[in-house]
Amino acid sequence: MKHILIMEDNALLAHEWKNVFELNGHKVTLTHNGQDAVEQLEETKFDLVVTDLFVPNAKGGLHVVGKILRMRRGAPPIIAVTGEKRLKDTDEDTNFFLRQVQQLGVSQTLEKPFPAAELLLIADEFWSRD
């Protein structure tokens, strides 16, 4: 059993993602903003973090990504997700925000919308390397 932290402000998506992991025997902690996610990271060891990059009126996933990337040992893999685009992003372009965090060192990026099961497939890839 792995312990996953999900930071997503859309409650419907958060619960859909949570259910995919829990149905496969994993434990999930949900947060809805970056500040709560960072507090959880300071208190608990996680095997994976799934974080939305942007949440309204709060610190978002960029805050969470920064915290994790500054961790020394034991930093969990990060799946960064967003549906946000810049006006100059085109359908053929990789999302600018996802490109930026990938260059910073996140493990994987996904652009919304995507099937919830894709998170589990990516996570299983990370965990099979251990």
Side-chain angles (χ1 to χ4, degrees):
M1 176 178 76
K2 302 290 186 179
H3 192 180
I4 297 102
L5 174 64
I6 296 176
M7 195 286 290
E8 169 60 53
D9 62 308
N10 179 314
L12 216 68
L13 279 179
H15 286 283
E16 183 180 347
W17 299 348
K18 179 179 189 242
N19 288 340
V20 165
F21 284 110
E22 288 181 341
L23 287 171
N24 285 276
H26 304 296
K27 180 179 177 182
V28 177
T29 298
L30 285 182
T31 64
H32 301 292
N33 66 66
Q35 186 61 44
D36 291 346
V38 166
E39 288 172 12
Q40 287 293 323
L41 284 163
E42 290 170 348
E43 297 171 8
T44 307
K45 181 184 179 328
F46 292 95
D47 300 294
L48 175 69
V49 174
V50 179
T51 184
D52 188 356
L53 293 179
F54 300 100
V55 296
N57 306 317
K59 290 181 178 176
L62 293 174
H63 182 67
V64 176
V65 166
K67 174 70 176 177
I68 294 170
L69 293 176
R70 286 190 301 274
M71 292 171 80
R72 296 279 182 223
R73 293 190 176 164
I78 307 165
I79 301 175
V81 303
T82 191
E84 291 287 324
K85 286 187 172 234
R86 292 184 323 161
L87 289 177
K88 58 181 167 179
D89 285 345
T90 65
D91 289 338
E92 296 84 39
D93 286 339
T94 305
N95 180 297
F96 171 81
F97 301 114
L98 294 178
R99 238 183 10 253
Q100 295 303 304
V101 295
Q102 198 160 36
Q103 290 174 357
L104 289 173
V106 301
S107 309
Q108 182 73 40
T109 60
L110 288 172
E111 188 170 344
K112 294 178 193 175
F114 56 84
E118 193 164 349
L119 290 171
L120 185 63
L121 293 173
I122 293 167
D124 282 341
E125 277 184 39
F126 296 145
W127 298 329
S128 69
R129 295 178 200 158
D130 292 342

